[in-house]
Amino acid sequence: MAQGKRTAFFISDGTGLTVEAIGHSLLAQFRDQQVEQVTLPYVDSTEKVQKVLERIERASGESGLQPVIITSIVSDEIRRQLHRSPALMLDVFESYLTPLANLFGRDPAQTVNISHGIADDRRYSERIEAVHFAMDNDDGRRVREFERADTILVGVSRSGKTPTCLYLALQFGLRAANYPITEEDMDSTALPRILRPYRDKLFGLTIDPWRLMGIRQERRANSRYASLEQCEFEVRQVEQMLRRAQVPFLNATQLSVEELATRLMSQAGIERRIS
């Protein structure tokens, strides 16, 4: 643990995905603070809580700073144990379940991992089908299936199309395909002929040439493909192509895949298939 660096623990008795998302959002408001973020999922027994408490004590002693706990534990007993730690504790369920229980006039179920369980077979099947669609239609492999796509991402190679497609599939059940615009397609500023029938489904991703060069250098170091000159040429040509065809696009340079996906859906007016 780095000296003088505060630690934030995201603690859950389930996957930890929910409390981690909340924690990241909260700490993002304090970008000037150095905080080591640690996610601890499946803390669902006295023995596991004891190990967590020891780890929190250790972090506090080594850094000399009060740690932070952000937790979504549903068990009253486990939450009471966590309150014994020296950390500042932000309890998601304590903050929101009590007002809801008062509103509904009944106690919460205190059931672990409800939000990430397979409670709806239809939604689960749609998510899996969407992931398979994204994988099958990566890099324009099955253009004949573009008719079934909810959206088709286009852009230069390594601009973030594949991870965004997979995120759209996993999180929202959307059938997202992608098509890389290659140097051969750049002889003209018109859309590649194969994409024209699907113009209304197209959405572009672009990227800063310097960032693109860095990504490509990791894949093919010192190649023409990874040169700054080539990256600048491709980005310039593709942006001109998208503007001419009036295809909306986003710059992926500073955006996480989560931000890309949600901004894309908002800008394109695409609604999620699952929630």
Side-chain angles (χ1 to χ4, degrees):
M1 209 74 63
Q3 183 68 25
K5 190 172 185 180
R6 196 184 305 275
T7 307
F9 294 92
F10 308 144
I11 304 174
S12 173
D13 42 19
T15 63
L17 296 175
T18 300
V19 72
E20 185 178 72
I22 293 171
H24 288 327
S25 297
L26 291 173
L27 293 174
Q29 304 302 313
F30 303 93
R31 294 183 185 275
D32 60 329
Q33 298 294 306
Q34 284 197 330
V35 182
E36 181 173 349
Q37 301 178 25
V38 178
T39 301
L40 302 175
Y42 302 112
V43 179
D44 53 8
S45 69
T46 301
E47 294 76 15
K48 291 180 181 178
V49 176
Q50 188 55 45
K51 290 181 180 179
V52 167
L53 289 172
E54 291 170 3
R55 184 167 180 178
I56 293 169
E57 289 274 6
R58 194 160 57 248
S60 177
E62 291 178 1
S63 69
L65 296 171
Q66 183 183 22
V68 178
I69 292 174
I70 302 175
T71 178
S72 61
I73 298 284
V74 300
S75 164
D76 287 337
E77 176 56 35
I78 292 178
R79 291 210 307 273
R80 278 194 291 270
Q81 288 181 269
L82 287 174
H83 272 293
R84 297 172 192 157
S85 80
L88 168 69
M89 184 159 158
L90 305 179
D91 191 327
V92 174
F93 280 116
E94 201 169 73
S95 300
Y96 298 111
L97 279 186
T98 299
L100 283 172
N102 292 336
L103 175 68
F104 294 136
R106 58 177 296 178
D107 291 332
Q110 294 200 356
T111 303
V112 176
N113 220 24
I114 292 175
S115 63
H116 296 290
I118 306 175
D120 186 326
D121 288 342
R122 181 189 59 79
R123 288 192 302 165
Y124 179 73
S125 296
E126 284 186 0
R127 177 175 288 149
I128 296 304
E129 194 276 335
V131 170
H132 286 163
F133 184 90
M135 294 173 68
D136 289 343
N137 289 276
D138 188 38
D139 278 347
R141 287 181 196 155
R142 297 187 181 181
V143 178
R144 65 183 182 278
E145 292 192 11
F146 279 8
E147 189 63 44
R148 297 177 55 227
D150 294 308
T151 187
I152 303 164
L153 303 192
V154 296
V156 300
S157 170
R158 315 304 290 179
S159 58
K161 300 182 300 300
T162 297
T164 304
C165 283
L166 288 171
Y167 187 85
L168 288 167
L170 274 169
Q171 291 296 115
F172 308 116
L174 292 171
R175 293 190 293 266
N178 75 75
Y179 183 92
I181 297 179
T182 64
E183 191 170 3
E184 290 72 28
D185 296 320
M186 297 175 197
D187 292 338
S188 165
T189 56
L191 282 174
R193 187 178 301 276
I194 204 165
L195 294 177
R196 293 174 196 171
Y198 312 105
R199 197 192 69 79
D200 291 343
K201 295 185 177 188
L202 300 182
F203 198 97
L205 295 186
T206 188
I207 187 171
D208 178 78
W210 282 91
R211 173 65 178 146
L212 182 61
M213 179 183 69
I215 294 170
R216 288 184 173 183
Q217 284 288 349
E218 293 178 5
R219 189 176 179 86
R220 295 186 204 166
N222 303 317
S223 65
R224 176 175 173 274
Y225 166 79
S227 69
L228 179 59
E229 181 181 15
Q230 181 66 19
C231 292
E232 288 178 331
F233 166 74
E234 291 186 24
V235 169
R236 183 173 59 249
Q237 290 296 104
V238 169
E239 287 186 359
Q240 288 178 0
M241 182 185 295
L242 296 175
R243 288 192 184 99
R244 179 177 176 183
Q246 296 184 312
V247 172
F249 63 92
L250 284 169
N251 190 312
T253 309
Q254 299 294 332
L255 297 179
S256 67
V257 68
E258 296 90 346
E259 290 174 305
L260 275 174
T262 51
R263 290 192 187 199
L264 182 159
M265 290 170 63
S266 175
Q267 197 168 324
I270 301 171
E271 294 187 2
R272 63 175 70 200
R273 287 180 176 271
I274 59 174
S275 56

